[in-house]
Amino acid sequence: MLIDTVAWVRTEGGRVLCARPRGKGVFYVPGGKREGAESDLETLVREIREELDVVLDPGTAAHTGTYEAGVDGGLVRMACYTADYRGELTPSSEIEEIAWFGYAHRELVPPVDQLLFDDLRDAGLLV
C-alpha cells in the first residue's frame, strides 16, 4: 500500500514548521494526500489552505526532495516543496497545534519526516 503525500517545507531561523492534527499525538510537516488526479502543486496549495489558512504562491514553489519510508506494512512517499505564502499561519479546524521544530525534535515526527529533517540539517537549514 502506497500513501502518496505532498508536504510544504517552511524553514525560519533554523527551524521547520510542523503541525499536529486534532486528536493525534504526532506532529507532521504540513501537507497531505492527493485527491484524484491533482498535481503535486494543486495538492499542496489545497492542503495548506485547509490546514493553515494561508495561500501558497505556486509560482515560487520549488521541489526540495521526495522521501519514502515504511509504515504499518505500507510505504509513505512524501514530495516536498518550498513556496512563498500570503496570510497569517493559523491552525484550521483539523489542526490542533503548529510548532517550529529544530533537529532535536526529530523523534517527534514520523519516519518519512525524519528523513527530511536529516537533509535540512545537512543543508544547514535546521539546527
Side-chain angles (χ1 to χ4, degrees):
M1 175 181 71
L2 174 67
I3 301 170
D4 184 23
T5 66
V6 180
W8 181 41
V9 180
R10 181 67 188 182
T11 59
E12 292 182 13
R15 300 193 179 282
V16 64
L17 180 65
C18 291
R20 184 172 58 81
R22 194 162 302 287
K24 303 228 176 168
V26 176
F27 280 85
Y28 300 87
V29 175
K33 297 177 189 169
R34 183 181 322 276
E35 289 183 359
E38 282 181 326
S39 69
D40 281 2
L41 289 181
E42 290 169 333
T43 303
L44 188 66
V45 168
R46 177 185 53 76
E47 284 287 342
I48 298 308
R49 184 179 57 246
E50 290 173 2
E51 292 182 356
L52 301 173
D53 199 29
V54 295
V55 177
L56 295 185
D57 178 356
T60 65
H63 182 253
T64 59
T66 298
Y67 303 89
E68 293 183 349
V71 62
D72 298 328
L75 183 70
V76 174
R77 177 182 301 140
M78 182 174 72
C80 296
Y81 293 83
T82 59
D84 293 339
Y85 71 97
R86 291 186 319 274
E88 184 175 333
L89 295 169
T90 306
S92 71
S93 59
E94 66 186 61
I95 299 298
E96 186 143 351
E97 180 181 6
I98 60 175
W100 293 92
F101 281 4
Y103 193 75
H105 298 100
R106 182 182 182 274
E107 297 303 317
L108 300 176
V109 298
V112 72
D113 294 51
Q114 291 177 10
L115 298 173
L116 170 65
F117 272 47
D118 293 343
D119 279 357
L120 291 174
R121 182 198 58 191
D122 292 348
L125 296 171
L126 198 61
V127 295

